[in-house]
Amino acid sequence: MFRLKQLAVSTAFFLAGCVSLAPDYQRPELPVPQQFSLSRNALVPTTAGYQDTGWRTFFADPQARRFIDEALRNNRDLRMASLKVQEARAQYNVTDADRYPQLNASSDASYKGGLKGDSATSKEYEAGLGLTFDLDFFGRLKNMSEADQQNFFASQQAQRAVHILLISNVSQSYFNQRLAWEQLNIAKETLQNYQQSYAFVEQQLVTGSTNVLALEQARGVIESTRAEIAKREGQLAQANNALQLLTGSYQTLPNDALDLEKDLNPVALPPNLSSTILLQRPDIMEAEHQLRAADANIGAARAAFFPSITLTSGISSSSTDLTNLFTASSGMWNFVPKIEIPIFNAGRNQANLTLAEVRQQQSVVNYEQKIQAAFKDIADALSLRDSISGQIAAQQRYLNSLQITLQRARGLYASGAVSYIEVLDAERSLFATRQTILDLKYTQQVNEINLFTALGGGWSE
C-alpha cells in the first residue's frame, strides 16, 4: 500500500509541467535582403572572426579609450540598466518558485473564557506543517516562468544595448570636443594672419600705396574672426560639458596638446556581408526574447481553459498543555486534493488568450521593424564611406589650390595689380575650406562609429 502511494506521488511529480500549450517557437524570416550591397564600398578585407571585434581594438586613440572606460564605470544610465537586469532576475525567481512545493510552518495559541469572573479560562496551542503543490499538468506555471525568464534575457540584451550606445555616445562626444578645439585653433591662426595682413595694409597706407577702404576691409575681417573665436570657445565649453556628463566625472578633460594621426581602426568586413549579422545586435536579440516571452504567455493563457489540480497536505498538533503539544497522541494529518474546473467567467479566459495572441503579433512586428531599421543603419553607414572619403580628397585638393591662389593674390596686391578684396576672398575661402575639412573628418569618424555600433559593436571588452 505504501509503495502504491509512493508511486502515485512520484507519477504526479513526473507529469507536472510535462505538457506545454505554448506554440512552437519559429524565428520570423528576415524581412530584408540576404546580403548588403557592397558594390560601391571599398571595404577592408578581413578573415574569420570579424564579429568579435572589441571596442578597445576599434578605438586607436588612447584618450578615447580612457574616457569610455571612465563612462562605463560612472554612467548612471548604465547603472540603471544593470539594476533592471537584477529586477528581471528577481521577478523570474519569484514566478519560478510557484512551480515547486510550498512548505509552511504555523503555530498559534488561543484563549477564551466567559465574561463573568467565575468562568474558567481555557487555552489551546496548535502547531503544524502545511505542504501545497500545484500539479501543473497543462504548463500554466511553466509558461509563466518561461515568459519571465525570457524577459530576464531581454533585460540582459537591453543592458548590452545601453553599454554599446554609451560607448558610441562617449566616443562621438570626445571627437566632437576635439573638433571644437581644432576649429578654435584654426580661427586663432586665421586671426593672426589677418592681423599681419592689417599691419601690411596699414604700412602701405602710410606710404600711399593703398587707400582707407582696404584698411577698413582688413579691420572688418579681424573683428569677424574674433566673433568666430568667441563662438568656437562657447562650442568647446559645451562639448566639454557634454563629455563630462556622459563620463559621470568632472575631474579631467581631454589633453588637447595630443594630436594623433590615427583615431579609429576601420571596421573590417568581408566582401559579401550577410544580413544575418544583424542577429547579433542586442536590440534585435532583446526583441527576439520578448517574442519568446509572448509565445509563453499564449501557453499560459491556453492552460487557463483546463482544470487545475492542487494537492494540499499537512500535519498538525493541538493541545491545551504546551508540554504535550508535540506528542503523538495530540497529532493529526490531512490530505486535501483540490480540482478547479473553469465553467463560466464571462469570457475572461478567451479575452486573456486573445490579448496574449495580439501581443505576440505585436512582438513579431516589433522584431521585424528592428531588423529593417538595423539594416538601414548599416546600409547608410556603408554608403557614406566612399562618399565622405571622396569629399575629403576633393576638399584637400581645393585647399591646396586656395593656398596657391592666396600667395599669388598677395603678390599681385603688393604690386598694385589687384585690389585688396581679391586677397580677402582668398583668405575667407581658405578659412572656410579648412573648417569644412575638419567637419568632414569628424563626419567620417562619426560614420565609422555608427557602422561599428550598427553591427552590434563592442561585443568583447
mmCIF file of all heavy atoms in Angstrom, residues 182-203:
data_model
loop_
_atom_site.group_PDB
_atom_site.id
_atom_site.type_symbol
_atom_site.label_atom_id
_atom_site.label_comp_id
_atom_site.label_asym_id
_atom_site.label_seq_id
_atom_site.Cartn_x
_atom_site.Cartn_y
_atom_site.Cartn_z
ATOM 1 N N GLU A 182 39.994 72.045 -32.423
ATOM 2 C CA GLU A 182 40.745 72.285 -33.650
ATOM 3 C C GLU A 182 40.155 73.446 -34.451
ATOM 4 O O GLU A 182 40.888 74.239 -35.059
ATOM 5 C CB GLU A 182 40.770 71.008 -34.495
ATOM 6 C CG GLU A 182 41.623 69.905 -33.869
ATOM 7 C CD GLU A 182 41.556 68.604 -34.669
ATOM 8 O OE1 GLU A 182 40.818 68.563 -35.658
ATOM 9 O OE2 GLU A 182 42.258 67.647 -34.282
ATOM 10 N N GLN A 183 38.820 73.563 -34.445
ATOM 11 C CA GLN A 183 38.206 74.698 -35.130
ATOM 12 C C GLN A 183 38.577 76.007 -34.449
ATOM 13 O O GLN A 183 38.797 77.028 -35.117
ATOM 14 C CB GLN A 183 36.688 74.524 -35.156
ATOM 15 C CG GLN A 183 36.209 73.462 -36.131
ATOM 16 C CD GLN A 183 34.714 73.268 -36.081
ATOM 17 O OE1 GLN A 183 34.090 73.447 -35.033
ATOM 18 N NE2 GLN A 183 34.127 72.890 -37.195
ATOM 19 N N LEU A 184 38.656 75.998 -33.125
ATOM 20 C CA LEU A 184 39.081 77.190 -32.393
ATOM 21 C C LEU A 184 40.516 77.542 -32.741
ATOM 22 O O LEU A 184 40.856 78.732 -32.927
ATOM 23 C CB LEU A 184 38.936 76.951 -30.892
ATOM 24 C CG LEU A 184 39.405 78.081 -29.965
ATOM 25 C CD1 LEU A 184 38.605 79.367 -30.234
ATOM 26 C CD2 LEU A 184 39.275 77.667 -28.506
ATOM 27 N N ASN A 185 41.382 76.547 -32.860
ATOM 28 C CA ASN A 185 42.775 76.798 -33.220
ATOM 29 C C ASN A 185 42.897 77.399 -34.614
ATOM 30 O O ASN A 185 43.697 78.316 -34.845
ATOM 31 C CB ASN A 185 43.584 75.500 -33.147
ATOM 32 C CG ASN A 185 44.120 75.255 -31.745
ATOM 33 O OD1 ASN A 185 43.994 76.109 -30.875
ATOM 34 N ND2 ASN A 185 44.707 74.105 -31.526
ATOM 35 N N ILE A 186 42.122 76.871 -35.553
ATOM 36 C CA ILE A 186 42.155 77.417 -36.914
ATOM 37 C C ILE A 186 41.705 78.873 -36.908
ATOM 38 O O ILE A 186 42.283 79.731 -37.599
ATOM 39 C CB ILE A 186 41.277 76.572 -37.850
ATOM 40 C CG1 ILE A 186 41.930 75.213 -38.108
ATOM 41 C CG2 ILE A 186 41.039 77.288 -39.174
ATOM 42 C CD1 ILE A 186 41.113 74.297 -38.983
ATOM 43 N N ALA A 187 40.656 79.166 -36.145
ATOM 44 C CA ALA A 187 40.177 80.550 -36.064
ATOM 45 C C ALA A 187 41.254 81.462 -35.483
ATOM 46 O O ALA A 187 41.440 82.602 -35.951
ATOM 47 C CB ALA A 187 38.913 80.609 -35.227
ATOM 48 N N LYS A 188 41.972 80.990 -34.458
ATOM 49 C CA LYS A 188 43.039 81.802 -33.867
ATOM 50 C C LYS A 188 44.190 81.998 -34.850
ATOM 51 O O LYS A 188 44.764 83.106 -34.944
ATOM 52 C CB LYS A 188 43.541 81.136 -32.586
ATOM 53 C CG LYS A 188 42.550 81.200 -31.425
ATOM 54 C CD LYS A 188 43.106 80.522 -30.179
ATOM 55 C CE LYS A 188 42.129 80.633 -29.004
ATOM 56 N NZ LYS A 188 42.646 79.942 -27.790
ATOM 57 N N GLU A 189 44.564 80.938 -35.577
ATOM 58 C CA GLU A 189 45.617 81.079 -36.582
ATOM 59 C C GLU A 189 45.195 82.056 -37.682
ATOM 60 O O GLU A 189 45.998 82.878 -38.145
ATOM 61 C CB GLU A 189 45.932 79.715 -37.195
ATOM 62 C CG GLU A 189 46.609 78.742 -36.243
ATOM 63 C CD GLU A 189 46.763 77.369 -36.865
ATOM 64 O OE1 GLU A 189 46.447 77.224 -38.068
ATOM 65 O OE2 GLU A 189 47.196 76.443 -36.156
ATOM 66 N N THR A 190 43.932 81.981 -38.084
ATOM 67 C CA THR A 190 43.432 82.889 -39.111
ATOM 68 C C THR A 190 43.446 84.328 -38.618
ATOM 69 O O THR A 190 43.760 85.256 -39.378
ATOM 70 C CB THR A 190 42.002 82.478 -39.516
ATOM 71 O OG1 THR A 190 42.010 81.124 -39.958
ATOM 72 C CG2 THR A 190 41.485 83.366 -40.634
ATOM 73 N N LEU A 191 43.113 84.523 -37.347
ATOM 74 C CA LEU A 191 43.151 85.870 -36.783
ATOM 75 C C LEU A 191 44.561 86.443 -36.848
ATOM 76 O O LEU A 191 44.749 87.628 -37.180
ATOM 77 C CB LEU A 191 42.654 85.841 -35.335
ATOM 78 C CG LEU A 191 42.704 87.181 -34.585
ATOM 79 C CD1 LEU A 191 41.820 88.228 -35.272
ATOM 80 C CD2 LEU A 191 42.292 87.001 -33.128
ATOM 81 N N GLN A 192 45.566 85.624 -36.522
ATOM 82 C CA GLN A 192 46.945 86.091 -36.597
ATOM 83 C C GLN A 192 47.313 86.486 -38.027
ATOM 84 O O GLN A 192 47.977 87.519 -38.254
ATOM 85 C CB GLN A 192 47.895 85.008 -36.083
ATOM 86 C CG GLN A 192 47.773 84.723 -34.587
ATOM 87 C CD GLN A 192 48.687 83.597 -34.133
ATOM 88 O OE1 GLN A 192 49.337 82.940 -34.955
ATOM 89 N NE2 GLN A 192 48.728 83.356 -32.828
ATOM 90 N N ASN A 193 46.863 85.702 -39.006
ATOM 91 C CA ASN A 193 47.149 86.032 -40.403
ATOM 92 C C ASN A 193 46.470 87.338 -40.809
ATOM 93 O O ASN A 193 47.060 88.169 -41.519
ATOM 94 C CB ASN A 193 46.687 84.899 -41.317
ATOM 95 C CG ASN A 193 47.489 83.632 -41.129
ATOM 96 O OD1 ASN A 193 48.649 83.678 -40.705
ATOM 97 N ND2 ASN A 193 46.884 82.485 -41.423
ATOM 98 N N TYR A 194 45.225 87.507 -40.351
ATOM 99 C CA TYR A 194 44.507 88.742 -40.664
ATOM 100 C C TYR A 194 45.193 89.945 -40.027
ATOM 101 O O TYR A 194 45.249 91.050 -40.619
ATOM 102 C CB TYR A 194 43.058 88.656 -40.182
ATOM 103 C CG TYR A 194 42.164 87.797 -41.057
ATOM 104 C CD1 TYR A 194 40.962 87.288 -40.565
ATOM 105 C CD2 TYR A 194 42.506 87.502 -42.373
ATOM 106 C CE1 TYR A 194 40.132 86.505 -41.353
ATOM 107 C CE2 TYR A 194 41.680 86.727 -43.169
ATOM 108 C CZ TYR A 194 40.499 86.226 -42.652
ATOM 109 O OH TYR A 194 39.684 85.463 -43.453
ATOM 110 N N GLN A 195 45.702 89.780 -38.813
ATOM 111 C CA GLN A 195 46.382 90.887 -38.143
ATOM 112 C C GLN A 195 47.677 91.249 -38.864
ATOM 113 O O GLN A 195 48.026 92.438 -38.957
ATOM 114 C CB GLN A 195 46.663 90.509 -36.684
ATOM 115 C CG GLN A 195 45.411 90.475 -35.812
ATOM 116 C CD GLN A 195 45.675 89.939 -34.425
ATOM 117 O OE1 GLN A 195 46.614 89.173 -34.202
ATOM 118 N NE2 GLN A 195 44.820 90.321 -33.461
ATOM 119 N N GLN A 196 48.384 90.246 -39.370
ATOM 120 C CA GLN A 196 49.579 90.519 -40.156
ATOM 121 C C GLN A 196 49.228 91.259 -41.450
ATOM 122 O O GLN A 196 49.924 92.192 -41.864
ATOM 123 C CB GLN A 196 50.318 89.213 -40.473
ATOM 124 C CG GLN A 196 50.919 88.535 -39.249
ATOM 125 C CD GLN A 196 51.504 87.166 -39.568
ATOM 126 O OE1 GLN A 196 51.457 86.712 -40.719
ATOM 127 N NE2 GLN A 196 52.069 86.519 -38.560
ATOM 128 N N SER A 197 48.114 90.821 -42.074
ATOM 129 C CA SER A 197 47.671 91.499 -43.291
ATOM 130 C C SER A 197 47.277 92.946 -42.995
ATOM 131 O O SER A 197 47.553 93.856 -43.787
ATOM 132 C CB SER A 197 46.493 90.744 -43.905
ATOM 133 O OG SER A 197 46.867 89.450 -44.310
ATOM 134 N N TYR A 198 46.630 93.154 -41.838
ATOM 135 C CA TYR A 198 46.223 94.500 -41.463
ATOM 136 C C TYR A 198 47.452 95.400 -41.275
ATOM 137 O O TYR A 198 47.464 96.559 -41.719
ATOM 138 C CB TYR A 198 45.412 94.450 -40.167
ATOM 139 C CG TYR A 198 44.987 95.807 -39.664
ATOM 140 C CD1 TYR A 198 43.863 96.437 -40.193
ATOM 141 C CD2 TYR A 198 45.721 96.459 -38.666
ATOM 142 C CE1 TYR A 198 43.478 97.703 -39.741
ATOM 143 C CE2 TYR A 198 45.342 97.713 -38.204
ATOM 144 C CZ TYR A 198 44.213 98.324 -38.750
ATOM 145 O OH TYR A 198 43.833 99.574 -38.300
ATOM 146 N N ALA A 199 48.491 94.845 -40.621
ATOM 147 C CA ALA A 199 49.716 95.635 -40.435
ATOM 148 C C ALA A 199 50.358 95.974 -41.784
ATOM 149 O O ALA A 199 50.880 97.083 -41.979
ATOM 150 C CB ALA A 199 50.689 94.850 -39.550
ATOM 151 N N PHE A 200 50.310 95.037 -42.702
ATOM 152 C CA PHE A 200 50.879 95.274 -44.032
ATOM 153 C C PHE A 200 50.093 96.367 -44.767
ATOM 154 O O PHE A 200 50.682 97.273 -45.381
ATOM 155 C CB PHE A 200 50.867 93.972 -44.837
ATOM 156 C CG PHE A 200 51.356 94.130 -46.246
ATOM 157 C CD1 PHE A 200 52.703 94.322 -46.512
ATOM 158 C CD2 PHE A 200 50.471 94.082 -47.322
ATOM 159 C CE1 PHE A 200 53.160 94.477 -47.817
ATOM 160 C CE2 PHE A 200 50.917 94.229 -48.622
ATOM 161 C CZ PHE A 200 52.270 94.425 -48.873
ATOM 162 N N VAL A 201 48.735 96.278 -44.714
ATOM 163 C CA VAL A 201 47.910 97.297 -45.379
ATOM 164 C C VAL A 201 48.109 98.662 -44.732
ATOM 165 O O VAL A 201 48.161 99.703 -45.421
ATOM 166 C CB VAL A 201 46.429 96.880 -45.339
ATOM 167 C CG1 VAL A 201 45.538 97.994 -45.897
ATOM 168 C CG2 VAL A 201 46.214 95.603 -46.126
ATOM 169 N N GLU A 202 48.246 98.660 -43.403
ATOM 170 C CA GLU A 202 48.447 99.920 -42.694
ATOM 171 C C GLU A 202 49.761 100.583 -43.114
ATOM 172 O O GLU A 202 49.839 101.806 -43.288
ATOM 173 C CB GLU A 202 48.429 99.658 -41.181
ATOM 174 C CG GLU A 202 48.421 100.921 -40.329
ATOM 175 C CD GLU A 202 48.320 100.607 -38.850
ATOM 176 O OE1 GLU A 202 48.891 99.561 -38.425
ATOM 177 O OE2 GLU A 202 47.661 101.364 -38.118
ATOM 178 N N GLN A 203 50.800 99.765 -43.313
ATOM 179 C CA GLN A 203 52.083 100.292 -43.763
ATOM 180 C C GLN A 203 51.979 100.862 -45.175
ATOM 181 O O GLN A 203 52.551 101.910 -45.488
ATOM 182 C CB GLN A 203 53.145 99.179 -43.691
ATOM 183 C CG GLN A 203 54.546 99.644 -44.070
ATOM 184 C CD GLN A 203 55.561 98.517 -43.991
ATOM 185 O OE1 GLN A 203 55.182 97.365 -43.757
ATOM 186 N NE2 GLN A 203 56.817 98.834 -44.172
#
